[in-house]
Amino acid sequence: MYIAKSNPKESLAEHTRQLLSRLKILKEGYGDHIQNHKIWDLLEIAVKYHDTGKAYSQFQYSIRKALGEDVKKSDMPYIPHGYLSPFFLPVRSLKLDKNMRRILIQAIAYHHERSESINTELLLYVAHEELVHHFPKIEEELNIEVPKDTKHFKKIASELERERIKSIHMDETYLFYVLLKGLLHRLDHAASAHVAIEMDPEFDFSNLTRSYLQKISGKKMGYLRPLQEFAFNNQEKNIILVAQTGMGKTEAALLWAGKKKTFFTVPLRVSLNALYDRVVDEMGYQNCGLLHSTSAHHLDEKGVENWEVIYDHSKQLANKLTFTTIDQILKFPFKFRGYEKYYATLAYSCVIIDEIQSYDPWIVAVIIKALEMIHKIGGKFLVMTATLPKIYLDELDKRGIIDHSCEVEKFFDDALVRHRIEVRDMSIFDNIEKYVEAANDKKVLIIVNTIDQAVKLYREIEAFTANVYLFHSRFLQKDRQLLEKELKEFDKNASSTGIWITTQIVEASVDIDFDELHTELAPLDSLFQRFGRCYRKRSLDHDEANIFIYTEEVSGKRSVYDKDIMDLSKTILREYTKNEKKILLESTKMEMIETLYSVGKLEHTKYYKKFQSALKELDYMEDYQVSYQEAQKILRGDESVLVIPRKIYDEIIPLFEELEVAENPARRNELRREIEKYTCSVNKKMFRNSLYPIDHFRKTKYGQYPLMNYVYILDKDYDFDEQKLKGIGILKEDSPFEVF
């Protein structure tokens, strides 16, 4: 019996059957969603033969030795099994044309990307001297046809000598190849992880959403808003939606998704968590996936009993609906080793991009390139945003993404007047008395551009009132969750009054509604997102301004936001208000964004040059030049690092000690998750002189801590009172602790 896997032990026949059973589920669930139906016959062949090279004596020796068996050492040279598997193909009886044969052989040979180059002379030697002797047993154990002779060996070798099928031209051969190779990856990975390939393929999100909207509205008819009706009626088309806050975009997206396998992306993890909770808890769909860098922590904290299963399914892309960050699902334009798995999945799925304008122009370029690739391979997309920069829309049009299969629509309601703005040529620190006075009977939200600015403002306001809270990303994960919960409770309680000071962490998909907003100047699209946290779904009921924009001594100019965009935003705002309080209609917001992000305004700015440069680089990106980790770093931003403040670390040393000696994998994972509750992501450059590896601080009889080598000790103090929910988080001032 040939062995394919060692943990758990699994025969080659068992492993192959696992793939075939998942192939049946995948085809039955989404077979009609892939345009070229020939893929299924070729994929079945690839599945049956992809691991036949594991019959090779050197592989069998290695795996049986790992299982602790007493086996005779193999004298044969190491060769990756994928390079050997094509020799088991009955090439003549398959009757494939040259192009399909090339696609099949390369997909099997490279189903595991290896750094070893192919030596065809050595392959032919091994094929003639050994592989032929495995043909009868492989035929019996796998119940497949094998070659009758060795005449096809040279054809296989010559095919492996040929240049790899490349993505640069995005032609039909490449698209078919990437489908075959990518789906084979999906099946192989799911079978190896012993998780489902697809869950709930027949589930319809439009039915779920309609029932939910009908229930909360109490109506039998007319419960869908115009935006939602439009999305539901255009399920088979790609859609670009520009719609104001409070129009029900999330429900519209799910109505559009219908029966499609769906990946729902938003910029912030906190927003993803909130969306996941909403669909699971309020709408009642339990099989959602959640996929981002701390999703396991959120699922565990939420008390989900089978969170490990949900997390594993999310990692294997098995869920019908997955809430995820773009670095998890849209990194395939970098064409790293194994990218085909993600790209092929999008061929029969849809992706929802929420608030595209919130991303850096480099990342938007990646998204646009991903949408172009998805369009070419037959997948679906929905882009929805409150503001859409015109340069992005122009680029989508230029690349043929906006065609007969794509609808572009704007939805706004000028009858609902929500905001009267006032632009103030002063610092946000010059108006503290007004914030404190307003907070006596109002919910007051203050948004600034940097954490340092938020901390400084909090300290000054705290001298005048205790009714002030601070929320930003430099709190430990466990404390940040407490603050998020408190913010939502504050919002829900109609009688609550006070001040919340935040950064742009609340801009996207945080469903809160304050009475008054004070904000530093930011790019118009960011400002309008902030406006959505004030009078979110209600009409303005007084003649005073409820939005105040401060234009002087603004933080984050250059470090957070592009200076040219900031300056242009200020000019446009000044032209509109002309030193007066002005009602800001939704249509006016869209016009202002269109003006700001037009080529005419931006063509000489660093912002536009960065965007165009990124697109050009992606257009000529060659396969496998960037690693998976490098692609993820680019999309996540490689300037952050996970840290534990020194004094917090001293308190949880017992967790590290137990982690070092724990033998049970489940317990080790549990300990890691517990430790991660005490971590925070900080800017690596900002704290570079205060970061130390964990083993710098403590070496015990247990040794160092290699299992948590991605976490650093931050030699800075930490301030937070869990009872009062007050504090400023990680302090930038020098720590009183000695570094040793």
Side-chain angles (χ1 to χ4, degrees):
M1 178 179 71
Y2 295 114
I3 304 298
K5 303 284 179 183
S6 60
N7 188 23
K9 181 179 178 181
E10 191 173 58
S11 73
L12 180 56
E14 288 170 332
H15 177 62
T16 304
R17 284 196 295 271
Q18 289 287 332
L19 267 75
L20 287 170
S21 67
R22 285 165 174 78
L23 170 59
K24 182 180 179 183
I25 292 168
L26 180 62
K27 183 179 178 181
E28 288 176 351
Y30 297 106
D32 292 337
H33 292 251
I34 292 180
Q35 296 172 357
N36 194 335
H37 291 177
K38 293 179 182 178
I39 190 68
W40 300 110
D41 291 336
L42 210 63
L43 183 57
E44 184 175 348
I45 296 170
V47 164
K48 289 178 177 178
Y49 289 88
H50 79 289
D51 269 356
T52 48
K54 288 184 175 180
Y56 183 43
S57 60
Q58 207 277 345
F59 181 91
Q60 289 298 306
Y61 163 75
S62 298
I63 200 164
R64 290 181 183 277
K65 185 178 179 182
L67 288 167
E69 296 182 16
D70 184 16
V71 289
K72 183 180 178 182
K73 185 175 181 179
S74 170
D75 294 326
M76 298 301 286
Y78 168 75
I79 300 174
H81 71 271
Y83 297 169
L84 298 172
S85 294
F87 289 95
F88 288 84
L89 287 167
V91 173
R92 278 183 290 182
S93 62
L94 291 177
K95 296 180 180 178
L96 300 173
D97 62 40
K98 290 182 179 180
N99 199 43
M100 286 294 109
R101 186 175 68 204
R102 179 191 181 200
I103 289 170
L104 177 63
I105 290 171
Q106 289 201 15
I108 291 175
Y110 303 114
H111 77 274
H112 293 295
E113 290 291 345
R114 304 295 187 192
S115 56
E116 294 87 359
S117 59
I118 290 179
N119 181 334
T120 51
E121 287 187 12
L122 182 60
L123 287 181
L124 284 171
Y125 168 77
V126 169
H128 281 289
E129 293 299 316
E130 183 185 319
L131 297 189
V132 290
H133 301 300
H134 295 293
F135 283 1
K137 194 174 178 183
I138 282 288
E139 184 175 36
E140 178 187 352
E141 289 195 12
L142 300 190
N143 192 27
I144 58 175
E145 183 182 354
V146 295
K148 300 292 189 293
D149 51 48
T150 63
K151 292 179 181 178
H152 71 295
F153 281 5
K154 285 188 177 180
K155 286 184 179 180
I156 299 291
S158 63
E159 203 62 72
L160 293 174
E161 272 187 325
R162 287 184 67 180
E163 185 180 30
R164 294 279 300 270
I165 297 171
K166 292 185 177 180
S167 64
I168 195 70
H169 300 300
M170 298 290 288
D171 58 15
E172 288 185 11
T173 296
Y174 163 74
L175 292 174
F176 197 91
Y177 169 71
V178 82
L179 264 180
L180 184 66
K181 186 170 185 281
L183 295 180
L184 183 59
H185 281 314
R186 284 282 326 277
L187 295 165
D188 199 13
H189 293 173
S192 298
H194 296 277
V195 299
I197 184 69
E198 294 294 346
M199 297 177 65
D200 295 342
E202 294 301 314
F203 192 84
D204 192 330
F205 290 109
S206 58
N207 291 340
L208 174 77
T209 309
R210 290 178 76 100
S211 297
Y212 169 72
L213 290 172
Q214 189 174 1
K215 179 182 176 182
I216 63 174
S217 69
K219 300 177 182 177
K220 291 186 177 181
M221 300 290 290
Y223 53 86
L224 294 185
R225 301 176 186 180
L227 168 67
Q228 295 165 347
E229 285 276 11
F230 176 82
F232 178 71
N233 291 332
N234 286 278
Q235 287 183 345
E236 299 307 312
K237 290 196 172 186
N238 297 320
I239 301 180
I240 299 172
L241 288 176
V242 183
Q244 71 188 65
T245 302
M247 283 196 143
K249 292 199 294 289
T250 299
E251 290 83 1
L254 294 174
L255 286 165
W256 171 78
K259 292 180 71 172
K260 297 188 285 290
K261 180 180 176 69
T262 304
F263 296 93
F264 199 130
T265 74
V266 295
L268 298 176
R269 290 175 306 200
V270 60
S271 304
L272 285 170
N273 293 344
L275 286 170
Y276 173 86
D277 292 347
R278 184 177 172 192
V279 171
V280 171
D281 298 335
E282 296 180 25
M283 300 179 72
Y285 182 65
Q286 301 299 315
N287 289 329
C288 284
L290 185 64
L291 187 60
H292 56 70
S293 59
T294 59
S295 55
H297 175 70
H298 178 74
L299 292 168
D300 190 24
E301 281 296 296
K302 186 177 167 62
V304 179
E305 289 188 7
N306 63 333
W307 73 264
E308 296 98 333
V309 176
I310 293 174
Y311 184 60
D312 287 343
H313 280 133
S314 299
K315 286 195 299 182
Q316 296 300 333
L317 314 180
N319 297 90
K320 180 76 171 186
L321 170 63
T322 302
F323 292 103
T324 181
T325 46
I326 61 166
D327 63 281
Q328 299 287 348
I329 192 63
L330 292 185
K331 53 186 173 286
F332 54 81
F334 291 104
K335 300 167 188 172
F336 54 88
R337 288 182 177 181
Y339 80 93
E340 297 94 343
K341 168 182 173 179
Y342 301 90
Y343 188 22
T345 302
L346 267 299
Y348 64 91
S349 308
C350 70
V351 63
I352 297 165
I353 311 290
D354 193 8
E355 303 303 350
I356 191 172
Q357 87 293 336
S358 298
Y359 297 102
D360 175 272
W362 218 111
I363 296 177
V364 175
V366 176
I367 293 172
I368 288 176
K369 185 63 183 179
L371 294 178
E372 180 184 10
M373 293 174 71
I374 290 169
H375 187 48
K376 283 183 179 292
I377 207 167
K380 298 292 183 184
F381 66 82
L382 165 61
V383 176
M384 59 180 191
T385 178
T387 56
L388 182 62
K390 192 172 186 302
I391 57 169
Y392 299 160
L393 195 62
D394 290 346
E395 190 63 38
L396 289 166
D397 189 26
K398 176 183 172 184
R399 291 173 176 266
I401 302 170
I402 300 175
D403 58 12
H404 66 279
S405 67
C406 182
E407 296 286 340
V408 182
E409 287 290 335
K410 295 180 180 179
F411 288 85
F412 56 87
D413 182 8
D414 280 346
L416 180 65
V417 177
R418 299 185 297 146
H419 302 133
R420 182 177 281 108
I421 66 172
E422 184 176 329
V423 179
R424 294 186 165 181
D425 293 326
M426 62 172 67
S427 165
I428 202 160
F429 289 89
D430 294 337
N431 221 15
I432 289 176
E433 289 184 5
K434 176 173 174 58
Y435 313 147
V436 175
E437 181 184 350
N440 288 328
D441 58 2
K442 292 180 181 177
K443 289 180 168 73
V444 178
L445 179 63
I446 304 175
I447 304 179
V448 294
N449 299 337
T450 66
I451 295 174
D452 290 346
Q453 190 86 322
V455 168
K456 183 181 176 183
L457 188 59
Y458 174 76
R459 282 172 165 163
E460 293 204 14
I461 294 177
E462 195 180 26
F464 292 88
T465 177
N467 196 14
V468 58
Y469 294 86
L470 179 65
F471 181 45
H472 55 66
S473 62
R474 214 183 284 160
F475 288 100
L476 302 186
Q477 286 190 30
K478 66 182 185 65
D479 297 334
R480 182 166 160 175
Q481 285 193 331
L482 292 173
L483 285 167
E484 288 172 16
K485 183 178 179 181
E486 181 65 17
L487 174 58
K488 290 174 183 176
E489 290 299 322
F490 177 86
D491 174 66
K492 288 178 183 177
N493 189 340
S495 63
S496 293
T497 60
I499 302 170
W500 277 81
I501 301 171
T502 79
T503 58
Q504 54 270 44
I505 194 172
V506 298
E507 280 183 22
S509 301
V510 180
D511 195 357
I512 54 176
D513 186 4
F514 279 67
D515 301 314
E516 198 168 282
L517 169 67
H518 298 262
T519 174
E520 285 190 301
L521 176 71
L524 289 179
D525 45 316
S526 292
L527 281 178
F528 296 160
Q529 284 294 107
R530 296 176 186 188
F531 292 3
R533 312 311 126 188
C534 178
Y535 275 74
R536 184 170 175 81
K537 297 177 182 177
R538 50 190 168 128
S539 179
L540 190 61
D541 52 4
H542 56 77
D543 296 329
E544 297 301 314
N546 62 342
I547 306 281
F548 300 89
I549 305 162
Y550 298 83
T551 64
E552 300 304 313
E553 299 175 30
V554 174
S555 64
K557 204 170 183 178
R558 288 190 175 91
S559 63
V560 178
Y561 297 117
D562 182 90
K563 179 183 180 298
D564 294 326
I565 300 294
M566 291 275 276
D567 290 342
L568 285 168
S569 296
K570 181 178 178 179
T571 299
I572 292 170
L573 280 169
R574 270 275 160 245
E575 289 175 355
Y576 179 70
T577 57
K578 296 178 181 177
N579 297 316
E580 297 177 6
K581 301 173 186 177
K582 277 284 191 76
I583 286 175
L584 189 60
L585 300 176
E586 299 301 326
S587 58
T588 307
K589 290 180 187 176
M590 292 182 183
E591 290 168 5
M592 292 167 80
I593 289 291
E594 193 165 318
T595 299
L596 173 62
Y597 286 103
S598 62
V599 175
K601 289 283 187 185
L602 296 181
E603 61 182 338
H604 300 299
T605 65
K606 289 181 180 179
Y607 183 97
Y608 187 69
K609 289 175 183 176
K610 184 179 182 181
F611 175 60
Q612 290 296 325
S613 174
L615 283 169
K616 186 174 181 180
E617 186 175 339
L618 290 164
D619 284 340
Y620 293 96
M621 180 80 67
E622 291 191 19
D623 294 15
Y624 316 132
Q625 301 301 303
V626 175
S627 72
Y628 177 97
Q629 289 78 13
E630 287 169 337
Q632 201 142 31
K633 274 187 177 181
I634 292 170
L635 288 179
R636 282 186 185 174
D638 61 353
E639 296 182 354
S640 63
V641 62
L642 208 59
V643 302
I644 301 176
R646 170 66 192 282
K647 78 170 186 179
I648 303 298
Y649 167 76
D650 287 343
E651 295 171 4
I652 63 169
I653 282 175
L655 292 176
F656 283 96
E657 292 178 342
E658 185 181 352
L659 175 63
E660 191 63 27
V661 297
E663 296 182 359
N664 184 283
R667 179 56 181 160
R668 289 203 302 270
N669 286 334
E670 186 180 339
L671 286 164
R672 285 195 196 95
R673 294 194 308 277
E674 185 63 27
I675 290 170
E676 286 173 358
K677 294 177 185 178
Y678 296 88
T679 64
C680 175
S681 183
V682 301
N683 186 287
K684 188 163 47 178
K685 292 180 181 178
M686 184 180 294
F687 291 98
R688 62 181 176 274
N689 295 324
S690 303
L691 293 171
Y692 300 91
I694 288 173
D695 61 4
H696 180 94
F697 284 88
R698 183 175 178 86
K699 291 183 180 179
T700 70
K701 63 181 180 180
Y702 302 108
Q704 300 178 13
Y705 305 122
L707 297 177
M708 296 292 288
N709 60 1
Y710 55 91
V711 178
Y712 289 79
I713 302 302
L714 179 66
D715 193 45
K716 296 291 182 182
D717 204 356
Y718 182 73
D719 173 52
F720 188 72
D721 186 323
E722 287 189 15
Q723 301 302 316
K724 297 179 180 178
L725 299 179
K726 295 292 187 73
I728 63 172
I730 290 175
L731 298 169
K732 286 188 67 178
E733 294 87 349
D734 288 338
S735 169
F737 299 107
E738 179 184 358
V739 177
F740 60 92

